[in-house]
């Protein structure tokens, strides 16, 4: 943790005293944090505001660029709306190009959710005509279910995007990651 604050402070070419003045924290607090004390509450929020990062960026191994990469991977999952399997192909390429292991792991978690959604959607599209014939209905069920599935996936992507912006982590993920 201390290394992250120290790294961000060094990037701005600030002394510990300058960081203390910018953040409104005491010099002693900055020194403790850079030696490994984990900031919480007001201290964490002050440092995050001073460095213009989300608080979770100070607690994780992700740097600002890593979080930006994960946001991009999450948002490119929306390409399923215009490109079949775009929610897997484009995020997959971006994920496996990442060098940061923690960012790559989050990318794999996004991919896992998208793969499961795609498999479930494909199976339902094959089974729905059978269900429709059993129900003897003239209304094509896929015209009802497919838009609902699309809305569900967009909701997952939006919720994870919001969670990445506020907490620096995913809120919707699989219990077991298979990638």
């Amino acid at each position: 943790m201390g290394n992250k604050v120290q790294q961000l402070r060094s990037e701005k070419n600030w002394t510990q005293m300058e960081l203390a003045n910018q953040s409104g924290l005491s010099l002693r607090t900055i020194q403790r944090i850079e030696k490994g004390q984990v900031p919480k509450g007001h201290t964490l929020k002050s440092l995050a505001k001073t460095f213009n990062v989300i608080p979770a960026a100070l607690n994780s191994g992700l740097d600002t660029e890593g979080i930006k990469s994960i946001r991009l991977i999450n948002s490119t999952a929306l390409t399923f709306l215009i490109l079949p399997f775009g929610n897997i192909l484009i995020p997959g390429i971006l994920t496996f190009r990442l060098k940061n292991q923690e960012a790559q792991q989050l990318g794999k978690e996004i991919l896992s959710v998208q793969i499961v959604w795609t498999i479930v959607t494909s199976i339902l599209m094959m089974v729905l005509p059978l269900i429709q014939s059993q129900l003897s209905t003239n209304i094509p069920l896929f015209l009802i279910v497919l838009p609902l599935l699309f809305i569900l996936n967009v909701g997952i992507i939006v919720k994870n995007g919001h969670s990445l912006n506020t907490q620096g982590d995913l809120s919707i993920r699989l219990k077991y990651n298979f990638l």
Side-chain angles (χ1 to χ4, degrees):
M1 165 47 96
N3 292 339
K4 187 62 158 179
V5 172
Q6 194 171 20
Q7 174 193 350
L8 291 169
R9 179 178 61 80
S10 295
E11 287 174 9
K12 296 211 179 257
N13 294 317
W14 288 345
T15 65
Q16 288 180 334
M17 184 55 113
E18 288 172 319
L19 175 55
N21 291 336
Q22 290 288 332
S23 64
L25 301 171
S26 71
L27 175 62
R28 184 68 189 123
T29 299
I30 300 300
Q31 291 169 339
R32 284 188 203 124
I33 291 167
E34 287 192 2
K35 285 188 179 182
Q37 181 180 1
V38 178
K40 297 177 184 162
H42 170 72
T43 303
L44 181 61
K45 289 178 185 174
S46 294
L47 287 170
K49 185 176 180 183
T50 301
F51 290 123
N52 196 24
V53 297
I54 60 174
L58 296 174
N59 287 330
S60 72
L62 287 175
D63 57 4
T64 306
E65 288 303 313
I67 291 174
K68 284 182 184 175
S69 298
I70 294 303
R71 285 180 190 151
L72 176 64
I73 289 168
N74 185 61
S75 62
T76 58
L78 286 170
T79 57
F80 83 95
L81 293 168
I82 55 172
L83 178 69
F85 303 108
N87 60 325
I88 297 171
L89 296 173
I90 297 171
I93 291 167
L94 294 173
T95 294
F96 291 105
R97 289 182 138 184
L98 291 174
K99 292 182 175 50
N100 182 314
Q101 292 299 319
E102 190 170 337
Q104 192 176 69
Q105 183 59 36
L106 285 174
K108 287 178 180 180
E109 290 183 25
I110 291 168
L111 267 174
S112 295
V113 169
Q114 291 303 312
I115 289 169
V116 168
W117 179 86
T118 302
I119 290 170
V120 168
T121 300
S122 299
I123 291 171
L124 278 174
M125 289 302 106
M126 290 186 280
V127 172
L128 281 174
L130 298 174
I131 294 171
Q132 181 179 339
S133 68
Q134 291 297 318
L135 295 175
S136 300
T137 179
N138 291 333
I139 302 169
L141 291 178
F142 79 92
L143 290 178
I144 298 167
V145 175
L146 190 59
L148 292 175
L149 289 168
F150 275 41
I151 290 168
L152 172 68
N153 198 24
V154 169
I156 289 169
I157 295 166
V158 168
K159 184 162 179 148
N160 275 340
H162 176 69
S163 180
L164 283 167
N165 286 335
T166 58
Q167 301 168 8
D169 201 7
L170 300 173
S171 64
I172 298 176
R173 51 173 35 128
L174 299 178
K175 188 171 184 178
Y176 301 104
N177 189 5
F178 54 85
L179 291 180

